[in-house]
Amino acid sequence: MTNTENPIKNQLKLRLAAGDVSLVMRIKMSRTVEIVGIAQAAGYHGIYIDMQHNTMSLDTASQICSAAVFAGITPLVRVPEIAPTMIGRLLDGGALGIIVPDVISADMAREAVNLCRMPPFGDRSIGGPIPLTGYQPLPGAQISQIVNDETMVLAQLESGDAIDQAEAIAAVDGIDALFIGSSDLTLSLGIPGQFTHEKTQDCFKRAIDAAHKNGKHMFIGGIADPEIARIYVEMGAAPCFFPGADSQLLLKAAKEAGAAFNALAKK
């Protein structure tokens, strides 16, 4: 192995760079590593553990992230806050990306980058072999380079105030992408759930322009309707989709199966 090679790559980053469509499953309900196999079997390229909106422990999240790394699926985690005691441990446990909610300033974005990246780009410490390096005992300089190359930092914009700061946030070195939380954004705008409203489209356009101006991606969050998502991809958002949480996908499949058998019984 040379000084820069690593057998494990962030597949989501590679797909984004190539302009390929990427599917990411949001995890809220699942608590075991089997969800990784399910996501893989369903053709997803990543998972996104939503620790902001569930009661999952840090240990459980890390076990799922580690399993995803070795399955070739990119594990992202949305943290409930910018907290060094959580972010560093999740990354050491296997997360390949951190989604920071409700970022409303460049200072918040810089703080997140500082916690996610190792020197010279941040202050994250080295804690020994980690899933990302295949648990190999590599030199510190090599671990630092691998971590900084493969880790993603996503700033989530969830309000009109955040959109106003989109350009400043996107300009922060170390931020890989802006990530609009569509449900909270429309709620803050007084038009909850109206994902095609002119106000919503204006916010997306401003965020997409800010991201592109700074060479960053712009993700669509909270929109499960592919036809609505298409509007924003054509506007310039990355073709990276979050079709729903595990609980939503299970409910949808269960209802469809139940309806089919109920119909059979009525014939």
Side-chain angles (χ1 to χ4, degrees):
M1 177 179 288
T2 69
N3 193 44
T4 58
E5 290 176 345
N6 189 56
I8 296 171
K9 297 293 183 181
N10 186 323
Q11 296 301 317
L12 189 56
K13 285 194 73 171
L14 292 176
R15 296 185 70 83
L16 286 166
D20 295 333
V21 170
S22 300
L23 301 176
V24 181
M25 183 184 292
R26 183 180 173 200
I27 308 299
K28 286 189 64 180
M29 179 184 68
S30 303
R31 294 293 187 275
T32 61
V33 298
E34 283 84 356
I35 192 62
V36 172
I38 291 171
Q40 185 182 53
Y44 283 69
H45 309 100
I47 58 171
Y48 141 35
I49 299 175
D50 188 356
M51 293 187 73
Q52 184 186 22
H53 295 297
N54 74 29
T55 59
M56 184 184 294
S57 71
L58 188 149
D59 181 64
T60 297
S62 294
Q63 295 295 329
I64 294 173
C65 284
S66 182
V69 167
F70 292 107
I73 292 176
T74 299
L76 309 174
V77 180
R78 177 159 72 177
V79 294
E81 60 183 335
I82 302 176
T85 54
M86 174 169 285
I87 290 176
R89 294 166 73 192
L90 284 167
L91 291 170
D92 284 349
L96 297 190
I98 296 294
I99 302 170
V100 185
D102 202 21
V103 176
I104 58 173
S105 70
D107 285 342
M108 287 182 69
R110 278 189 285 270
E111 184 180 2
V113 169
N114 190 54
L115 294 177
C116 292
R117 304 211 181 276
M118 289 183 178
F121 307 110
D123 287 334
R124 178 183 166 192
S125 64
I126 293 178
I130 55 177
L132 177 55
T133 62
Y135 294 107
Q136 299 176 85
L138 304 176
Q142 189 173 351
I143 291 177
S144 180
Q145 181 173 343
I146 291 169
V147 163
N148 288 332
D149 285 347
E150 305 301 332
T151 300
M152 299 177 70
V153 187
L154 285 67
Q156 193 159 31
L157 312 183
E158 303 181 78
S159 67
D161 289 341
I163 298 297
D164 289 341
Q165 296 300 315
E167 189 168 327
I169 294 167
V172 173
D173 287 340
I175 290 292
D176 292 281
L178 303 182
F179 183 8
I180 287 187
S182 304
S183 294
D184 282 330
L185 174 62
T186 57
L187 189 63
S188 80
L189 296 174
I191 49 171
Q194 297 186 47
F195 301 130
T196 59
H197 193 282
E198 61 181 14
K199 289 183 179 179
T200 308
Q201 294 199 42
D202 177 67
C203 286
F204 265 91
K205 179 66 164 58
R206 291 165 61 194
I208 290 167
D209 288 348
H212 288 182
K213 181 177 179 179
N214 290 281
K216 310 294 175 67
H217 299 288
M218 219 295 299
F219 287 0
I220 308 164
I223 296 178
D225 185 328
E227 291 308 312
I228 296 177
R230 183 194 301 275
I231 294 171
Y232 296 116
V233 171
E234 291 176 351
M235 197 180 286
C240 182
F241 305 113
F242 302 77
D246 49 0
S247 53
Q248 295 168 310
L249 297 172
L250 175 61
L251 177 61
K252 182 175 185 293
K255 288 175 71 174
E256 289 175 355
F261 279 94
N262 278 324
L264 180 64
K266 293 175 182 177
K267 291 182 178 180

